[in-house]
């Protein structure tokens, strides 16, 4: 991921949550983190590998997926995933880029990063306000575009600090 996008996310996390972020070294993802199809990465495997004592937001461009029993899908493509509560989350730009300009990708990336960190802080998906960042995007950029850079009052009540 290019430095400009990384810095945009770093500054958004600082502005939104007040957390100082540092950009760690780039890491190559190993084959063991691939999903069964070997075409994309397993978000669950990534979270499991990088779950530790520090807070980690993993940003990547490769496609990610989860095993989704509700949809009877062994590989459901997603934009991001975060433990709730937890200290690790992953966001991919792969699904954020389709048919939009660079500035829109960056806006979506910042929103999804804030959303996944929200899960780390204990917030679930929102059903109170359609503009809240904690809505489930269901894999679509359109829902992310409808959201504003805020978390509604109902969601703020569930923040675990």
């Amino acid at each position: 991921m290019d430095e400009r996008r990384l810095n945009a996310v770093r500054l958004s996390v600082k502005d939104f949550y007040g957390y100082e972020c540092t950009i760690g070294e780039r890491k190559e993802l190993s084959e063991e983190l691939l999903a069964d199809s070997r075409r994309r990465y397993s978000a669950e495997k990534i979270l499991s590998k990088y779950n530790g004592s520090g807070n980690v937001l993993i940003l990547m461009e490769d496609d990610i997926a989860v095993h989704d029993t509700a949809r009877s899908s062994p590989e459901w493509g997603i934009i991001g995933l975060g433990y709730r509560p937890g200290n690790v989350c992953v966001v991919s730009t792969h699904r954020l880029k389709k048919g939009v300009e660079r500035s829109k990708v960056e806006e979506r990336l910042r929103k999804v990063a804030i959303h996944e960190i929200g899960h780390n802080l204990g917030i679930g998906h929102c059903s109170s306000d359609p503009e809240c960042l904690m809505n489930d995007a269901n894999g679509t950029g359109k829902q992310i575009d409808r959201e504003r850079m805020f978390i509604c009052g109902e969601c703020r009540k569930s923040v675990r600090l």
Side-chain angles (χ1 to χ4, degrees):
M1 186 164 299
D2 70 50
E3 206 67 30
R4 187 181 121 166
R5 284 189 179 153
L6 293 173
N7 278 315
V9 171
R10 183 181 60 79
L11 292 173
S12 290
V13 170
K14 169 74 171 150
D15 290 345
F16 198 87
Y17 288 116
Y19 298 149
E20 289 293 338
C21 297
T22 57
I23 298 172
E25 65 185 73
R26 292 179 190 262
K27 296 185 184 215
E28 292 294 322
L29 295 179
S30 59
E31 284 190 24
E32 76 211 20
L33 299 177
L34 286 169
D36 290 343
S37 70
R38 317 285 294 160
R39 294 183 327 224
R40 51 189 167 190
Y41 287 93
S42 164
E44 295 109 332
K45 289 178 183 179
I46 291 169
L47 294 187
S48 180
K49 178 172 182 166
Y50 292 101
N51 190 23
S53 59
N55 295 319
V56 177
L57 167 63
I58 299 161
L59 302 174
M60 57 192 292
E61 294 182 351
D62 294 303
D63 198 11
I64 57 176
V66 294
H67 182 81
D68 191 334
T69 54
R71 291 182 173 95
S72 300
S73 176
E75 281 186 36
W76 183 259
I78 61 169
I79 298 166
L81 184 68
Y83 283 145
R84 187 183 115 211
N87 63 353
V88 62
C89 51
V90 60
V91 177
S92 166
T93 59
H94 182 80
R95 294 173 187 279
L96 299 177
K97 296 189 252 188
K98 296 187 179 179
V100 297
E101 295 180 16
R102 182 182 178 96
S103 61
K104 181 59 78 175
V105 174
E106 191 172 292
E107 177 188 333
R108 289 175 173 180
L109 175 61
R110 291 182 298 119
K111 287 179 177 180
V112 175
I114 298 298
H115 173 100
E116 298 306 336
I117 292 170
H119 285 320
N120 287 168
L121 295 173
I123 306 171
H125 282 138
C126 183
S127 58
S128 300
D129 188 327
E131 294 182 337
C132 176
L133 277 180
M134 294 310 297
N135 276 284
D136 185 351
N138 286 315
T140 70
K142 289 181 182 180
Q143 174 56 39
I144 297 166
D145 295 342
R146 280 191 285 271
E147 296 166 358
R148 292 186 305 131
M149 191 63 99
F150 96 110
I151 294 177
C152 73
E154 284 301 308
C155 289
R156 285 195 183 277
K157 289 178 186 175
S158 61
V159 171
R160 174 192 60 85
L161 298 175

